[in-house]
Amino acid sequence: QKPVTVAEYLFTRLHQIGIRSVHGLPGDFNLVALDYIPKAGLKWVGSVNELNAAYAADGYARIKNISALVTTFGVGELSAINGIAGAFSEHVPIVHIVGCPSTISQRNGMLLHHTLGNGDFTVFYTMAEQIACNSARLTTPANIPDQIDHAIRQCYIRSRPVYLMLPTDMVEKKVEGARLEQAIDLTEPPNDPAREDYVVDVVLRYLHAARTPVVLVDACAVRHRVVDEVQALVEKAKLPVFVTPMGKGAVDEDSDAYGGVYAGTGSHPAVSQQVESSDLVLSVGALKSDFNTTGFSYRTSQLSMIEFHSTHCTVRYSEYPGVRMRGVLRKVTERLDVDKMVWKGEGKLPPRVVNKVEDNRDPGQEIKQAYFWPRIGEYLKERDIVVTETGTANFGIWETKFPRGVTGVNQILWGSIGWAVGAAQGAALAARDAGSKRRTVLFVGDGAFQLTVQELSTMIRLGLDITIFLLYNEGFTIERFIHGMDAGYNDIARWQYADIPRVFGATEKQARSFVIKTKDELERLLKDPSFCDGKGVQLVELWMPREDAPRALKITTEVAARTNALVEE
Amino acid sequence: QKPVTVAEYLFTRLHQIGIRSVHGLPGDFNLVALDYIPKAGLKWVGSVNELNAAYAADGYARIKNISALVTTFGVGELSAINGIAGAFSEHVPIVHIVGCPSTISQRNGMLLHHTLGNGDFTVFYTMAEQIACNSARLTTPANIPDQIDHAIRQCYIRSRPVYLMLPTDMVEKKVEGARLEQAIDLTEPPNDPAREDYVVDVVLRYLHAARTPVVLVDACAVRHRVVDEVQALVEKAKLPVFVTPMGKGAVDEDSDAYGGVYAGTGSHPAVSQQVESSDLVLSVGALKSDFNTTGFSYRTSQLSMIEFHSTHCTVRYSEYPGVRMRGVLRKVTERLDVDKMVWKGEGKLPPRVVNKVEDNRDPGQEIKQAYFWPRIGEYLKERDIVVTETGTANFGIWETKFPRGVTGVNQILWGSIGWAVGAAQGAALAARDAGSKRRTVLFVGDGAFQLTVQELSTMIRLGLDITIFLLYNEGFTIERFIHGMDAGYNDIARWQYADIPRVFGATEKQARSFVIKTKDELERLLKDPSFCDGKGVQLVELWMPREDAPRALKITTEVAARTNALVEE
Ligand SMILES: Cc1ncc(C[n+]2csc(CCOP(=O)(O)OP(=O)(O)O)c2C)c(N)n1
Ligand SMILES: Cc1ncc(C[n+]2csc(CCOP(=O)(O)OP(=O)(O)O)c2C)c(N)n1
Ligand SMILES: [Mg+2]
Ligand SMILES: [Mg+2]
């Protein structure tokens, strides 16, 4: 009825679900498709390499709920694969579109560039499948709209990457455009009502009876978008609420209900005391990885645990597969009878979390981790986007109390260094695409920074507002704490970080650099209104002691070293 | 008898086969293993990211016949996978060692960092297997020496990557060290003598009778190390010899026998005339990919073709599977009776190949591709290593006549941009490890350069001698010729290239930069003895017109665009 090209169909769908910028790199198998990006009202972001582009798409999706990445066959997609694997691991929805040789070339097994030279065009697909919740070869025009709609729906609902292989000869094939008038249904399928009601009843029974209930919010609460549901429950029931490191930012840390970061032995004593002595932990979206739990060190009892997941719930040892958390959380809040609750929140909420700046201020001028992170809490503003990298930053941030509305972005499970630089670019762009004027603040180690440094170029080119604290501590400090404190392999080259923005093309207006070696310099910087404005790219080379690490990191790395060394005799 | 640790065993084996430097990045699952690298007499090269490290290992192997790469589970290995796929595609032997979680953690399905969060520790292995000629999980000490020896042997003989998964709890397990006294047998298994003799007879019959025979040397002649065998045959039989683009450098271009680069319609007319009219083309190690053949444009007849491959030979339409070229080539040379040959080389060899500098010098000051590449031929010295990147460089170099002993390094089949920067680092290091003082000269596009720019830091840190011609033509010129001459997606950010070495830590002694905008400046530079010395890192920002491309590139991209656009109705 209304013929449109495959490319138009695809990119229009991306626009409809809220994507405004598409990350990626050109390659001859995707060039023609790229022509259709502006036509669909989308902006093309040429990143500097595909891994950076994938990281940026990951950051974009964490702010705008979904994102898209376009790469070219073989060389492009495989460069991006670590970024996609990270998104899969961490439940981040990215639509990955790979421009590939025409179906004719594939059928003829042609010895094309970007192939393994063996006529096999399925190898990269087979790899990609393993880190995608849906993948499709778009080879038959009649099926393509269905394939695209299905993939996008899966991507969003399951909050994981999908993979679309788009041959050059399909890009301009005509498909039915009338379908575009109806948006893709992105609502989660409802739970079976009887099963859901059953779980709700069980939960309510425990919740009404609990004497010391707490809520613990983890990664998947954010990634599967139930933060509002959690918030409603916490407010109605006046429950104390804690976050895990991966859940940090999900809860208003300025609210009375907020109790701090819980991560087993890495938590502050008051926090672990309260969570571990609770007779009912409502755990939402848990992802209990080693670095999210200080090495599996929870001392909670399964008998006081109710877990809400995106695919199931568990109550103590009872499992309810297929009962997704969203519906349950909503009904629990709705049906909760506050008067029947044994727990009365009033006056019993946890001690207020504060940035312990003064407690950690030592007299010296060195900028120690213990001091820095609480101090940063005072610098942050409402609705900042805070990106932290694997390394000391990911552990230091536990000591930072976020102002209201701050979004925390980290990759604690996958932990690929360099990710945060790309992710910050994507997150800042997503914020701008959403029409907001949020600052993006990145904390990244000097080691990690080197892996993906050129993404600064994209930040500059796009004119994004990103402030980068580069933790300059002469190498891989987190690794030093695991093994090889003085080993050469944990050293890195000394770069002139402050000059980097200029080299990547920034004018004085587009980027500013700062070298901060003392506490006094840091104080001055953090009080400078023009710095705090956060306009453009600001790069702070922040000198920190080489063998200094946040409290929680020391505990975690000890456990990691022990786990690695464990030998069976 | 002589217990040694697994790590000692492995790294000693790498040393025995000639490796002196190991590329890679640390990660907590490989740290303890890294301690054993210096103990085995190897040098650890911490690259700046894993993809760069893989590219560098590729370059190293192309000069020193084999190389090693160490990465960490998941994040590290997947970052490198595109580099390994390239090595697989292009027949480059890399021993890829991945430090992974302990067998105990794996068995327990622990939710560790760098996993997909699903307890599946086989996913990355499954991906890696597809681009390795051998892969092994080192989980049982008793089997490990066999697994290692087998993998290394396969790697070398089949000239392709192998993958070894080394769990943390195996690193220091004891294995039998007495085996180390016997070197791994790296000799190729001999052909079945009867079958080999049969093929040799057939070849000799054709060769004796041929009136206009030629030899065509391609990629796999180099990668499977039969260049000496080819040389012997060419000399004895006084045959004219041509190279394909991927075979460039395999033949002494200063010798009388050398006829030039054959690549179908992209060849110079005198070359295609001679090859295509030949009544016997002895094709050695052919890899007839699109960009190696100007879009499959050979006009040779299968009836005048004998092909020598690493796994088989073919004579006209007769195939001889399992008959490897090395043995056949040797016997053909041995048994050839020059007196019986119809062909008499004397006086009939092809016209001497020269650098056509004057023919291509136009009066303007712009540095055009047509002029640049022959001019570079005059700048190159004996035994230089010449690395060219996918882009205009890979096609321009067809017009450059190499001095004797020059090694050409390119990635025409896989064609992953950014590769050449890493590969140049590895190649230069390999040359130094081999005790030679060769210059490494890199030709890379401004677009490609940006993808892996930080590997300059490693070049500088290692004090390598690498001269970089950065073809500054404001973006993806090769892509412009395929599609989108003025499209925004073919533009790149304007960097201050000349300042990059300093930012990456180079002192004035370690690196020098040059901005060259005119022919006169270029002439002066290429005549400057200190520049020609090639010491340290030298970065030349070479201004070239945006829409200028080598002759052969224009033809090739036209075919590529046509192939991509081909549609079935
Ligand atoms: C892609 C990748 N390669 C290697 C690692 C292993 N690794 C984890 S943290 C780290 C060092 C980070 O150093 P830096 O960024 O300087 O942080 P610091 O701890 O010093 O603050 C390394 C090498 C990884 N996680 N990801
Ligand atoms: C990893 C990777 N990404 C994308 C491509 C597609 N691609 C091939 S050549 C090229 C442009 C190269 O531009 P440049 O290096 O400036 O070379 P020029 O042709 O301008 O000399 C691109 C983007 C690729 N081959 N590899
Ligand atoms: Mg560091
Ligand atoms: Mg260019």
Side-chain angles (χ1 to χ4, degrees), chain A residues 168-380:
Chain A
T168 55
D169 60 334
M170 290 297 128
V171 172
E172 296 188 313
K173 288 276 186 194
K174 298 291 187 186
V175 294
E176 181 50 65
R179 296 174 55 128
L180 289 170
E181 283 153 30
Q182 180 144 11
I184 300 175
D185 177 13
L186 295 181
T187 54
E188 204 176 273
N191 290 322
D192 167 20
R195 293 169 62 82
E196 180 174 278
D197 282 341
Y198 184 89
V199 178
V200 170
D201 280 349
V202 179
V203 173
L204 281 173
R205 188 145 31 86
Y206 283 103
L207 185 52
H208 283 138
R211 278 169 303 109
T212 53
V214 301
V215 175
L216 180 59
V217 185
D218 205 343
C220 287
V222 183
R223 307 259 55 82
H224 290 275
R225 303 172 297 269
V226 297
V227 167
D228 289 344
E229 284 80 359
V230 173
Q231 176 70 7
L233 174 59
V234 164
E235 276 176 17
K236 180 167 183 187
K238 295 206 165 40
L239 297 172
V241 58
F242 298 83
V243 295
T244 66
M246 289 185 80
K248 194 153 179 2
V251 166
D252 176 4
E253 302 192 0
D254 230 13
S255 79
D256 291 338
Y258 179 64
V261 177
Y262 177 68
T265 54
S267 330
H268 284 285
V271 169
S272 45
Q273 204 280 327
Q274 191 170 0
V275 173
E276 292 172 358
S277 70
S278 163
D279 66 347
L280 184 67
V281 178
L282 302 175
S283 153
V284 188
L287 215 167
K288 290 184 230 166
S289 78
D290 51 356
F291 285 8
N292 198 29
T293 62
T294 323
F296 311 114
S297 66
Y298 279 17
R299 274 193 236 92
T300 50
S301 157
Q302 191 61 29
L303 290 175
S304 51
M305 187 68 77
I306 297 183
E307 292 190 33
F308 303 89
H309 290 285
S310 64
T311 53
H312 67 288
C313 293
T314 70
V315 178
R316 303 176 126 201
Y317 289 103
S318 312
E319 304 201 359
Y320 303 96
V323 181
R324 283 175 289 270
M325 61 184 165
R326 188 186 318 279
V328 177
L329 285 167
R330 283 184 184 161
K331 277 197 186 154
V332 165
T333 307
E334 204 181 286
R335 298 184 189 169
L336 179 75
D337 184 343
V338 182
D339 297 332
K340 277 206 204 138
M341 284 179 75
V342 174
W343 164 259
K344 305 289 174 209
E346 234 62 73
K348 287 162 108 194
L349 287 170
R352 213 176 164 69
V353 173
V354 294
N355 286 304
K356 295 204 180 114
V357 183
E358 291 316 317
D359 296 1
N360 289 293
R361 187 199 296 274
D362 64 312
Q365 276 294 337
E366 274 192 330
I367 302 164
K368 297 248 183 78
Q369 300 262 354
Y371 170 74
F372 178 69
W373 296 105
R375 179 62 188 86
I376 280 300
E378 308 287 287
Y379 150 79
L380 293 178

Side-chain angles (χ1 to χ4, degrees), chain A residues 35 49 79 82 89 107 113-114 168 173 290 413-414 450-451 454 457 483 489 495-496 503 564 568, chain B residues 35 49 79 82 107 113-114 168 173 290 413-414 450-451 454 457 483 489 495-496 503 564 568:
Chain A
D35 288 340
N49 67 39
S79 293
N82 174 40
S89 169
R107 199 165 43 243
H113 62 289
H114 307 341
T168 55
K173 288 276 186 194
D290 51 356
L413 170 55
W414 187 245
Q450 295 195 349
L451 277 78
Q454 58 271 76
S457 165
H483 184 84
Y489 50 70
W495 288 6
Q496 303 301 324
V503 161
N564 286 344
E568 226 158 26
Chain B
D35 288 341
N49 66 42
S79 293
N82 174 39
R107 200 164 43 242
H113 61 288
H114 306 342
T168 55
K173 287 276 187 198
D290 51 355
L413 171 54
W414 188 244
Q450 295 195 349
L451 276 78
Q454 58 269 77
S457 167
H483 185 82
Y489 50 70
W495 289 5
Q496 302 302 323
V503 160
N564 287 343
E568 227 159 26

Side-chain angles (χ1 to χ4, degrees), chain B residues 446-447 471 473 475-477:
Chain B
D446 49 359
L471 314 181
N473 57 8
F476 302 149
T477 293

Side-chain angles (χ1 to χ4, degrees), chain A residues 44-197:
Chain A
W44 171 249
V45 182
S47 276
V48 188
N49 67 39
E50 284 88 355
L51 182 55
N52 291 10
Y55 288 159
D58 177 314
Y60 192 96
R62 287 177 194 247
I63 299 301
K64 236 177 158 311
N65 284 329
I66 192 158
S67 69
L69 173 70
V70 178
T71 62
T72 198
F73 188 65
V75 293
E77 57 179 310
L78 294 191
S79 293
I81 205 169
N82 174 40
I84 300 294
F88 184 85
S89 169
E90 297 240 338
H91 297 254
V92 178
I94 301 175
V95 181
H96 185 189
I97 299 151
V98 179
C100 70
S102 78
T103 59
I104 305 165
S105 298
Q106 292 190 41
R107 199 165 43 243
N108 295 341
M110 284 171 84
L111 189 40
L112 298 178
H113 62 289
H114 307 341
T115 71
L116 296 176
N118 57 6
D120 186 348
F121 288 80
T122 65
V123 178
F124 317 130
Y125 184 91
T126 310
M127 292 181 179
E129 255 185 333
Q130 302 186 52
I131 47 165
C133 71
N134 180 258
S135 34
R137 291 195 196 86
L138 308 180
T139 54
T140 311
N143 302 339
I144 290 178
D146 265 337
Q147 290 177 300
I148 290 174
D149 290 2
H150 181 67
I152 291 176
R153 183 173 150 74
Q154 291 296 310
C155 184
Y156 187 84
I157 289 183
R158 298 171 65 184
S159 200
R160 286 203 145 149
V162 294
Y163 177 88
L164 295 175
M165 202 170 163
L166 176 60
T168 55
D169 60 334
M170 290 297 128
V171 172
E172 296 188 313
K173 288 276 186 194
K174 298 291 187 186
V175 294
E176 181 50 65
R179 296 174 55 128
L180 289 170
E181 283 153 30
Q182 180 144 11
I184 300 175
D185 177 13
L186 295 181
T187 54
E188 204 176 273
N191 290 322
D192 167 20
R195 293 169 62 82
E196 180 174 278
D197 282 341

